Amino acid sequence: MSEIHGFAAHAAGAHLLPYKYDPGDLGPNEVEVKISHCGVCHSDVHLIDNDWGLSKFPFIPGHEIVGAVIAVGSEVRDRTVGERVGIGWQADSCGICEWCRQGDEHLCAKSQPTCVGRNGGYADRIRVNAKFAIPVPTVLESENVAPLLCGGITVYSPLRNHGVRPSSRVGVIGIGGLGHIGLQFAKAFGAEVTAFSTSKDKEAEAKSLGAHHFVNTRDTGALKKVAGSFDFLLSTVSADQDWQGYVNALRPKGTFCVVGVPPSPIQIQAFSLIGGQRGISGSPTGSPRDLHEMLDVAARHGVKAITERFAMAKANDAVAKVKKNQVRYRAVLTN
Ligand code: NAP
Ligand code: ZN
């Protein structure tokens, strides 16, 4: 097969430049996908800037991919040429460990992220293990579903795993790419939903997406006013916050869950956890099984990303806009 063309970061924080690589022979368990859309997740920005010390340059970012299967490996039985699929954070796993065996491939120690040590979706094509190419329900538009492949599953899994239900009082912190999908899923789970945001102008849209209440966290004393109010708080923010204020906003037995990646360690007073039997947790994306379920729920409950479209060649413009928190609410690159 011919070379794959994309846009790669060659050094931390550098502009993306045209880049091509030879994918070699198609592996027996792989599929090759012709990419139509790729979301710009804030994790791509962290990787481009090498915030996590994981990036191996040059690399093509992108892990919210939708496209059509154009080739299948000799062992692939469940994907067909022409089928529309989505690919998220994970491209492969060992397939034999305890976690892979029980359908938690995202917890595999040998998990291979789509654009760490591999080339991702800001490109014309990509290859992944067929297990991680998930069929997309026909009612979902490619542009609106691409961000669900990482942003969507990252908010869906913790809501589901923490048993959010109609009696739950849920807060979503940071109404960006992840957060605006989190409001929709929290509503679909039947919860009473509060949006926490630094952007006053997001209030009306947050409410239309499922928030019953809106807290402007720039208001003085905003968190004190909601102390002891929430069963589940989900932070999607990539900046340091008043974490203690959020833990204090939990009801007894409540959980504070981080999915956003702030730069500094999170410090919490032990007694604020002990006293109300509160918990703090984290959550990664999700397994192929979770992705299938999340897409099905999105299709049946009308959950979709609100997007701003950029041509693939304008990937640098999209990344710059994400850094300025100016995207409403997810940039999607198109071929
Ligand atoms: P995003 O689109 O940039 O949204 C983040 C939101 O956080 C912003 O829209 C903003 O919301 C809020 N925010 C930004 N800067 C802030 C600041 N200085 N103080 C307070 N709030 C601020 O990013 P994203 O794509 O949703 O990703 C968010 C985080 O999740 C990133 O760290 C990303 O790496 C991480 N992530 C983790 C996983 C996982 O598996 N756990 C998966 C995907 C992404 P308001 O305007 O409403 O304040
Ligand atoms: Zn992501």
Side-chain angles (χ1 to χ4, degrees):
M1 282 256 192
S2 57
E3 286 165 324
I4 291 180
H5 293 253
F7 293 87
H10 287 69
H15 263 64
L16 307 174
L17 298 172
Y19 177 76
K20 60 184 180 188
Y21 66 98
D22 180 353
D25 294 333
L26 186 68
N29 296 309
E30 284 185 323
V31 290
E32 180 159 321
V33 172
K34 184 174 190 289
I35 297 169
S36 63
H37 297 79
C38 186
V40 178
C41 176
H42 207 113
S43 298
D44 290 334
V45 179
H46 289 299
L47 290 171
I48 293 167
D49 290 346
N50 202 13
D51 287 342
W52 301 335
L54 295 175
S55 311
K56 292 179 191 114
F57 298 99
F59 78 98
I60 298 175
H63 58 274
E64 290 184 343
I65 298 162
V66 173
V69 174
I70 53 170
V72 298
S74 56
E75 299 293 323
V76 175
R77 298 281 171 265
D78 50 357
R79 297 281 73 81
T80 51
V81 169
E83 192 177 11
R84 186 173 61 145
V85 292
I87 299 162
W89 175 255
Q90 195 174 3
D92 207 350
S93 73
C94 82
I96 52 174
C97 72
E98 174 189 0
W99 306 103
C100 287
R101 282 203 316 271
Q102 65 189 36
D104 285 327
E105 290 88 346
H106 60 305
L107 303 179
C108 170
K110 293 185 181 155
S111 166
Q112 289 191 24
T114 303
C115 59
V116 182
R118 318 170 57 110
N119 287 304
Y122 299 4
D124 57 357
R125 290 161 20 236
I126 191 165
R127 290 181 183 177
V128 297
N129 181 321
K131 191 193 263 187
F132 297 88
I134 316 294
V136 176
T138 46
V139 298
L140 298 171
E141 298 284 345
S142 295
E143 181 172 324
N144 308 110
V145 77
L148 299 190
L149 274 307
C150 174
I153 189 67
T154 301
V155 294
Y156 177 83
S157 291
L159 291 167
R160 182 188 191 284
N161 295 337
H162 288 275
V164 166
R165 52 190 174 273
S167 60
S168 308
R169 299 154 173 94
V170 169
V172 178
I173 307 162
I175 310 306
L178 268 56
H180 90 288
I181 305 170
L183 296 176
Q184 298 176 62
F185 276 128
K187 179 185 173 199
F189 278 85
E192 181 180 351
V193 186
T194 299
F196 289 86
S197 176
T198 60
S199 308
K200 218 165 46 181
D201 62 309
K202 292 181 180 174
E203 177 165 358
E205 207 142 28
K207 287 187 169 162
S208 75
L209 292 170
H212 302 89
H213 316 286
F214 184 88
V215 175
N216 178 350
T217 51
R218 290 211 194 283
D219 286 347
T220 325
L223 290 187
K224 282 211 173 97
K225 282 185 199 143
V226 294
S229 301
F230 296 94
D231 299 299
F232 188 68
L233 286 170
L234 184 65
S235 173
T236 73
V237 178
S238 52
D240 295 331
Q241 301 292 291
D242 175 8
W243 305 120
Q244 189 63 59
Y246 283 115
V247 168
N248 294 345
L250 293 172
R251 284 154 47 84
K253 296 192 176 180
T255 300
F256 179 77
C257 179
V258 275
V259 294
V261 189
S264 316
I266 293 176
Q267 293 196 335
I268 303 293
Q269 292 291 343
F271 268 126
S272 66
L273 299 175
I274 295 167
Q277 208 178 304
R278 300 181 176 101
I280 176 159
S281 75
S283 186
T285 54
S287 65
R289 176 197 59 205
D290 299 337
L291 281 159
H292 279 275
E293 181 185 288
M294 180 274 304
L295 289 177
D296 178 53
V297 171
R300 289 190 286 130
H301 288 264
V303 174
K304 55 184 185 181
I306 299 175
T307 55
E308 279 188 32
R309 188 185 312 169
F310 294 78
M312 191 62 78
K314 297 283 182 191
N316 286 304
D317 294 351
V319 168
K321 211 167 171 187
V322 173
K323 283 188 172 180
K324 288 189 254 176
N325 191 23
Q326 286 176 349
V327 176
R328 299 290 185 271
Y329 285 85
R330 185 59 116 201
V332 176
L333 308 174
T334 62
N335 275 317

